[in-house]
Amino acid sequence: MDHQVKIGYSFWGFLGNGITDTPDGGRIHRRPLIDALLDRGHEIVFLQANRDLIEAGDDLGNAYTFHGGSPDIDVLFLEWRWAINGRNTTPCGTEGHTCDLHRQAELVNRYTVRKKTPTVLWDKDRQLPLDSVLRSARQTSVCEAALEPTPGAHRLLFPVDDQLLASADPVALAQKPRDLVLGYVGNQYDRDEHFDRFFAPAAARFEHLVGGKWTKNSRWPHVRFLGRLPFEAVPAVYGRSLATVLMLPERYAAVGQMTQRIFEAVLAGCLPLAPADILHADRFVPEELIVSSGSEVIERLNHFQRIAGTQQHADLVAACLDRLNLFRLSRQADVLEAVLATTAGPVSVQRGAA
């Protein structure tokens, strides 16, 4: 991109560790992407509440700017929010209410609709309706974190920091002692089918842990559920685990949308098994880590136990690290800059013009 822009960035989550009782999976990739844009000379002002300070008591100092009003911006960037009954659909001030959806509606109305401000919408959870007028608005671009995004949308994958990839040592990771055969940290949301088929049968045979919000779990009494864990505790679980299963909602699996679970696991040396019904699974993991049934998961875990700490184990970790190049931060920042350039074009009018 040959010019810098001022980006009004809307997200509902945290830049730091945040709080435990939250489903914000974006913490692992949001701040690196934002820092990469800042390093490239762009200006960013955050347009939602500063939850790091308000909820977590984490003062980020002068590194970032938050604004609760309507600052002059060149581009509006939205991590898309959707209606969640009982949470952001209730009246302001109601117990348990979060104002992310109201604020997003205000921003879209003020900037996208009224001012025709160029707008980039990152539909990270695949919640934007196919018939949304925002998909066809001239000044709007939609991004999705899928290998096969919706027609008309751009592919913007969840990024992993280049420096983390460069510093990962496959041999050291393979030789690390691990007291768990199987581990997973993530929430239940629409993952029951994968959990039933791939994780639960193996959990009956091997030492395991499951962290995250799994409130409807009575059908798996043999599984050890820990509940939600602090964000900073996630690497420790994968660092103890020989392997994990990359469980996805069907709406993700059908389009090849992989979550941040894959690089949380691989960077800790935890081998990720991918269900075969994930589109383009072979682009996320080596062929030998693709599984079609619970019995195959059990067979692979037995094999991993036999090779643990060997060069064969290290080679598998290295192959998984190579697959993470797909998500490399520098690549995703290039993609986002290209989308910004396409959407905004040269900024030739004064900011804030009607």
Side-chain angles (χ1 to χ4, degrees):
M1 189 170 185
D2 58 4
H3 64 280
Q4 284 70 49
V5 294
K6 184 175 182 180
I7 303 167
Y9 195 119
S10 170
F11 74 94
W12 188 252
F14 300 91
L15 295 172
N17 287 327
I19 59 176
T20 300
D21 190 20
T22 178
D24 181 30
R27 282 171 289 189
I28 192 171
H29 60 253
R30 180 179 297 117
R31 192 169 185 172
L33 181 61
I34 288 166
D35 287 345
L37 292 175
L38 292 172
D39 288 343
R40 295 180 182 210
H42 302 291
E43 185 179 351
I44 296 178
V45 55
F46 298 119
L47 301 176
Q48 293 271 4
N50 184 352
R51 297 182 67 197
D52 288 275
L53 182 62
I54 297 168
E55 298 180 41
D58 186 3
D59 187 353
L60 302 175
N62 297 322
Y64 306 103
T65 301
F66 289 81
H67 200 298
S70 306
D72 289 341
I73 58 174
D74 297 319
V75 180
L76 175 64
F77 184 92
L78 304 167
E79 290 189 18
W80 187 248
R81 302 300 300 163
W82 63 99
I84 303 173
N85 290 331
R87 189 185 304 174
N88 59 13
T89 58
T90 54
C92 296
T94 304
E95 183 178 357
H97 174 77
T98 62
C99 220
D100 53 306
L101 194 62
H102 290 168
R103 176 61 168 161
Q104 179 176 270
E106 177 189 355
L107 295 171
V108 169
N109 183 58
R110 180 179 296 274
Y111 290 109
T112 312
V113 176
R114 289 168 51 193
K115 293 189 174 183
K116 307 300 181 186
T117 301
T119 300
V120 178
L121 188 161
W122 196 9
D123 187 18
K124 299 167 69 173
D125 293 273
R126 303 194 64 78
Q127 295 288 349
L128 183 69
L130 291 176
D131 60 355
S132 170
V133 296
L134 291 174
R135 290 189 182 274
S136 57
R138 184 179 61 83
Q139 73 274 25
T140 302
S141 294
V142 175
C143 296
E144 297 173 358
L147 293 184
E148 299 290 345
T150 303
H154 302 271
R155 179 197 297 171
L156 178 62
L157 305 181
F158 302 130
V160 60
D161 197 321
D162 296 47
Q163 294 181 354
L164 292 177
L165 294 178
S167 62
D169 182 343
V171 173
L173 290 171
Q175 292 178 347
K176 183 178 179 180
R178 297 173 189 270
D179 63 316
L180 299 174
V181 177
L182 190 60
Y184 183 81
V185 182
N187 297 322
Q188 185 169 9
Y189 310 136
D190 302 320
R191 287 173 170 81
D192 286 20
E193 196 271 339
H194 270 177
F195 195 88
D196 246 346
R197 287 177 56 199
F198 299 102
F199 196 98
R205 302 277 294 272
F206 300 97
E207 287 294 321
H208 67 276
L209 288 178
V210 176
K213 186 178 180 180
W214 290 73
T215 55
K216 299 177 181 178
N217 58 27
S218 59
R219 63 200 276 193
W220 306 297
H222 65 286
V223 176
R224 186 181 175 192
F225 293 100
L226 299 180
R228 275 185 167 153
L229 301 176
F231 177 66
E232 59 269 29
V234 174
V237 173
Y238 287 120
R240 295 174 56 191
S241 304
L242 187 58
T244 190
V245 179
L246 299 171
M247 297 175 283
L248 298 177
E250 192 278 335
R251 69 182 187 278
Y252 290 2
V255 295
Q257 176 162 320
M258 182 55 63
T259 71
Q260 67 278 359
R261 298 282 92 89
I262 190 169
F263 39 89
E264 288 175 340
V266 173
L267 290 171
C270 177
L271 295 171
L273 293 169
D277 61 359
I278 297 174
L279 185 66
H280 300 309
D282 59 333
R283 297 191 63 184
F284 300 125
V285 301
E287 289 280 357
E288 54 264 50
L289 298 188
I290 299 175
V291 290
S292 298
S293 65
S295 60
E296 284 192 7
V297 173
I298 292 170
E299 182 272 324
R300 303 299 164 85
L301 294 179
N302 280 320
H303 174 64
F304 297 159
Q305 286 185 304
R306 289 192 295 269
I307 67 170
T310 67
Q311 186 59 48
Q312 188 177 358
H313 185 191
D315 290 344
L316 264 182
V317 175
C320 292
L321 287 166
D322 285 343
R323 293 297 200 284
L324 293 188
N325 282 315
L326 182 66
F327 304 91
R328 187 175 286 273
L329 173 61
S330 54
R331 177 180 294 180
Q332 303 313 315
D334 286 345
V335 169
L336 182 50
E337 280 202 316
V339 173
L340 290 170
T342 299
T343 308
V347 180
S348 58
V349 297
Q350 272 196 330
R351 293 174 182 153

